[in-house]
Amino acid sequence: MDKIIPKQVQCDGHASIIDGKALAGKIRAELKAAGHKANLAVVIVGDDEASHVYVRAKIRAADEVGLGTKLFELDKKTAEVELVKLIEKLNKDKSVDGILVQLPLPKQINERKVLALIDSRKDVDGFTAKNAGQLFLGEEGLFPCTPCGVIEMLESVGETFKGRHAVVVGRSNIVGKPMAMMLLNKGCTVTITHSKTVDLTMHTKMADILVVAVGKRNLITASMVKPGATVIDVGINRYEGKLCGDVDFDAVRDIAAYITPVPGGVGPMTIAMVLKNLTKTIKV
Ligand code: NAD
């Protein structure tokens, strides 16, 4: 794939903004041009509004690049056994290349149990133990979409990774941990920080690459960032009716070399990576 150079908006001599919306658009255009043929089964249980918004966005994006989708909308009272049966059916269905189960699932359903059932070759979210293990071992596989998107954003601005100090804030199975592993596999020296970390600033101040995935508005302030760092804000928060990330964007962009906005940063890249993973699924 040709190197994609995203639109970088110079902010009055401060950090360049890595425009995730533009970069995701270019990736989708490349996927469309490649003419991939694959079908994604999207399973959603219940009526969580945000989940329905995400699912619609993923289906729209797949349509746009010519990838097929089948939507399975299940009632919020669906029993675990019913969802298990559906996953088993989709695993066997040769017309289905990828399976995506939108999280969160209702309380009566054991999320880990259901995700573990997905055939790892159809696991477009990269949540199964097999794919997580492959990431851990530095092998090929289908890996979580948000950290994959972050890596592509970093590559788009010529990040070299090797020997750079990356600090990841957050250790979830879907963002923080796989993010740290990807950066490690690329040759970064990686520090993982989390809610029990003592003196977060001491760590974040050392970061050449700072990836923040917590879900707390303004957690990262300017005094916590090393001058010239690349700051990737994964967080999504709602404040006064607007979306914002975990980073105090206005202040940190005076310090950093590159920064991602919220909205229009990591979010659109996550969706583009779902589609990219779908094109990487193996026919079974
Ligand atoms: P999570 O709740 O599973 O994990 C949050 C992590 O933050 C935990 O590991 C916790 O230890 C850590 N944490 C909490 N308080 C902290 C503190 N004071 N200092 C340091 N670490 C702290 O969340 P997640 O699923 O990893 O998501 C994180 C954020 O990223 C959320 O805002 C979520 O909405 C967002 N998100 C965005 C995308 C996207 O596409 N942009 C995708 C996934 C998640």
Side-chain angles (χ1 to χ4, degrees):
M1 186 176 88
D2 288 343
K3 198 168 186 72
I4 294 163
I5 308 294
K7 189 173 78 180
Q8 288 166 33
V9 185
Q10 205 66 40
C11 314
D12 312 310
H14 305 303
S16 294
I17 294 175
I18 308 176
D19 186 340
K21 199 172 164 198
L23 182 57
K26 285 181 184 164
I27 292 169
R28 289 198 306 271
E30 291 201 352
L31 291 174
K32 186 173 184 177
H36 295 286
K37 288 283 162 264
N39 288 312
L40 177 65
V42 181
V43 182
I44 181 162
V45 189
D47 40 27
D48 180 70
E49 203 186 309
S51 296
H52 278 270
V53 171
Y54 291 136
V55 160
R56 277 198 297 274
K58 287 168 193 171
I59 290 176
R60 228 184 2 255
D63 283 350
E64 191 193 309
V65 305
L67 295 165
T69 49
K70 290 181 185 186
L71 177 61
F72 296 85
E73 286 181 283
L74 307 185
D75 187 85
K76 62 173 184 255
K77 292 192 180 128
T78 301
E80 187 179 280
V81 62
E82 288 307 314
L83 184 56
V84 166
K85 271 191 214 153
L86 175 62
I87 303 291
E88 284 169 345
K89 195 173 128 224
L90 295 172
N91 279 342
K92 286 191 203 125
D93 188 339
K94 291 203 186 315
S95 72
V96 170
D97 303 291
I99 302 169
L100 186 156
V101 178
Q102 184 64 41
L103 301 179
L105 292 170
K107 286 192 189 69
Q108 74 276 15
I109 299 175
N110 179 334
E111 224 161 73
R112 276 312 313 165
K113 182 178 166 188
V114 168
L115 295 179
L117 283 174
I118 297 175
D119 187 319
S120 62
R121 294 163 296 183
K122 297 187 178 188
D123 172 27
V124 289
D125 268 332
F127 291 164
T128 58
K130 176 125 190 272
N131 280 315
Q134 281 166 317
L135 175 60
F136 189 91
L137 295 173
E139 294 172 357
E140 290 294 308
L142 296 169
F143 302 142
C145 299
T146 300
C148 281
V150 171
I151 293 291
E152 295 229 5
M153 292 177 103
L154 291 169
E155 285 175 345
S156 77
V157 292
E159 177 55 58
T160 51
F161 299 102
K162 289 187 182 60
R164 302 260 285 161
H165 191 159
V167 176
V168 179
V169 189
R171 57 168 164 181
S172 70
N173 288 336
I174 62 171
V175 190
K177 278 193 225 168
M179 184 76 258
M181 203 50 68
M182 285 178 202
L183 291 163
L184 183 65
N185 289 345
K186 287 206 160 277
C188 289
T189 301
V190 180
T191 302
I192 307 175
T193 62
H194 47 80
S195 57
K196 304 288 185 291
T197 295
V198 177
D199 199 350
L200 183 62
T201 303
M202 181 191 83
H203 297 286
T204 58
K205 265 207 107 77
M206 292 201 303
D208 301 310
I209 302 167
L210 178 61
V211 182
V212 191
V214 173
K216 286 199 174 127
R217 187 178 74 93
N218 285 347
L219 176 71
I220 303 297
T221 57
S223 63
M224 298 170 81
V225 175
K226 178 176 168 179
T230 297
V231 180
I232 308 284
D233 192 352
V234 179
I236 300 177
N237 308 290
R238 231 169 237 290
Y239 182 68
E240 293 182 342
K242 289 189 182 154
L243 287 185
C244 65
D246 292 344
V247 175
D248 180 356
F249 181 86
D250 288 334
V252 171
R253 75 176 183 181
D254 288 345
I255 309 272
Y258 293 102
I259 190 165
T260 64
V262 179
V266 176
M269 289 298 291
T270 298
I271 295 179
M273 293 302 110
V274 172
L275 305 180
K276 202 163 179 181
N277 271 351
L278 179 62
T279 65
K280 286 194 213 160
T281 51
I282 300 155
K283 296 259 179 246
V284 286

